[in-house]
Amino acid sequence: MWFWIWCALVVGSLTGAFFLGRSLWRKVKALTRALDGLGVAAAGAPGRVQERIAASAAGVGRGVDVGRERGELVALVQERRGVRRGRALSRRSQHASRYAAWRMIDR
């Protein structure tokens, strides 16, 4: 009887070791693929940096609005706040209607 118990334990542990090894092997392969991609990205980084430096020297890019008048900036901030508040209000109304519909399901 003990022979069968020990056989089951050994076979179970070998099966678990197989699945653990397979999982680790797959994770190592995925890690090496990710590291290869990282190496490719790191190799291309200096070229992209040089392109961006050249673009900024040429004046291509997004401007900064530091020199605007205070009234313009206040109006811009209020406009953006209004847009955000409008989105939040519509989102709240959508949530309320959705919750009301969900409450009606159980009744």
Side-chain angles (χ1 to χ4, degrees):
M1 172 101 171
W2 284 107
F3 173 76
W4 295 112
I5 293 172
W6 280 104
C7 284
L9 289 174
V10 168
V11 169
S13 64
L14 289 176
T15 304
F18 168 76
F19 285 115
L20 178 65
R22 186 179 70 167
S23 172
L24 289 175
W25 176 252
R26 288 178 178 174
K27 288 179 182 179
V28 166
K29 284 187 350 184
L31 179 65
T32 55
R33 274 191 240 116
L35 289 176
D36 288 341
L38 181 63
V40 169
R48 288 193 303 274
V49 168
Q50 292 300 324
E51 289 173 7
R52 298 224 174 147
I53 290 172
S56 67
V60 178
R62 194 173 66 158
V64 180
D65 296 333
V66 178
R68 283 191 177 179
E69 292 292 324
R70 182 173 171 79
E72 287 181 52
L73 293 175
V74 169
L76 181 64
V77 167
Q78 288 176 350
E79 177 188 342
R80 289 181 181 173
R81 281 183 185 161
V83 169
R84 278 197 315 264
R85 287 179 180 152
R87 281 191 302 227
L89 184 61
S90 69
R91 188 172 51 244
R92 280 190 213 111
S93 67
Q94 288 173 356
H95 287 183
S97 64
R98 190 176 303 125
Y99 294 148
W102 288 349
R103 275 188 241 117
M104 295 305 292
I105 290 174
D106 293 337
R107 291 183 184 180

